[in-house]
């Protein structure tokens, strides 16, 4: 009989799988390799996840929960500039602590299966889309944010901005892209970026 794993052990398996998936993609990583690096048997993994795809989706859910927690902790009022600044910094922090999450997300966009791409896009993006749209609608209703832009479109624009900047903290390509545009040292200047982003958001979105 297989021994039941603790939540810490399950999280360890997921983190190992995320690192491997992020480096090489789902198709090039085997469950046997994940099991070996996690220090468990293949049978133990299949006890909890019926297939590699199910394991991968558990990895996505695991990583997204951390991002959800950061979003929830960062946005707790209607002050749009301060909220945007906190969201930006929270994303930087998560990407630096868990760069494999970003690599895994990038791998998804290269999937050959179009239906899986759509499925995972819905799983990943629907969370922030709903949250950001709700925040913007409340701010519009309170007269803080201009009302002449559709809230869902505005949430889409904001997420695109945040996503690209967050990638800069977890991917060498995007980090170099930041330096090409903005100059500076080899390390991202969080304060400079955050202050400029807050000014931009407040100027663009504040109700007249």
């Amino acid at each position: 009989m297989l021994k039941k794993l603790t939540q810490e052990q399950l999280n360890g398996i997921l983190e190992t799988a995320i690192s491997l998936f992020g480096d090489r993609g789902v198709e090039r990583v085997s469950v046997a390799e994940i099991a070996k690096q996690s220090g468990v048997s293949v049978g133990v993994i299949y006890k909890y996840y019926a297939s590699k795809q199910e394991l991968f989706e558990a990895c996505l859910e695991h990583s997204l929960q951390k991002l959800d927690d950061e979003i929830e902790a960062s946005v707790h009022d209607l002050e749009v500039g301060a909220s945007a600044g906190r969201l930006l910094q929270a994303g930087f922090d998560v990407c630096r602590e868990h760069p494999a999450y970003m690599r895994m997300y990038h791998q998804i966009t290269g999937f050959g299966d179009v239906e899986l791409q759509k499925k995972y896009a819905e799983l990943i993006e629907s969370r922030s889309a709903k949250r950001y749209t709700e925040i913007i609608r409340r701010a519009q209703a309170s007269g803080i944010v201009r009302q002449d832009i559709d809230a869902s479109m505005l949430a889409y624009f904001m997420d695109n901005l945040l996503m690209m900047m967050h990638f800069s903290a977890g991917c060498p390509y995007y980090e170099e892209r930041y330096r090409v545009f903005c100059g500076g040292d080899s390390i991202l200047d969080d304060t400079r970026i955050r202050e400029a982003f807050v000014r931009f958001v407040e100027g663009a979105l504040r109700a007249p």
Side-chain angles (χ1 to χ4, degrees), residues 11-40 42 45 52 55-56 59-60 62-63 98-108 111:
N11 288 343
I13 291 172
L14 295 176
E15 291 288 345
T16 297
I18 288 170
S19 181
L20 291 170
F21 289 148
D23 286 341
R24 301 207 308 274
V26 178
E27 295 176 355
R28 295 183 178 89
V29 176
S30 69
V31 174
E33 184 176 6
I34 295 168
K36 182 178 180 180
Q37 291 202 20
S38 300
V40 300
V42 172
I45 290 183
K52 184 168 68 171
L55 172 60
F56 177 69
C59 288
L60 283 179
H62 175 77
S63 64
H98 303 283
Y101 294 1
M102 297 300 106
R103 295 197 300 271
M104 181 175 64
Y105 299 153
H106 280 298
Q107 291 284 356
I108 293 172
F111 276 6

Side-chain angles (χ1 to χ4, degrees), residues 164-165 168 173-184 188 192-193:
M164 293 301 293
M165 288 186 286
S168 299
Y173 178 94
Y174 287 101
E175 185 176 359
E176 184 61 28
R177 181 176 179 272
Y178 159 73
R179 288 195 292 273
V180 168
F181 274 87
C182 304
L188 292 176
R192 179 190 179 197
I193 298 172

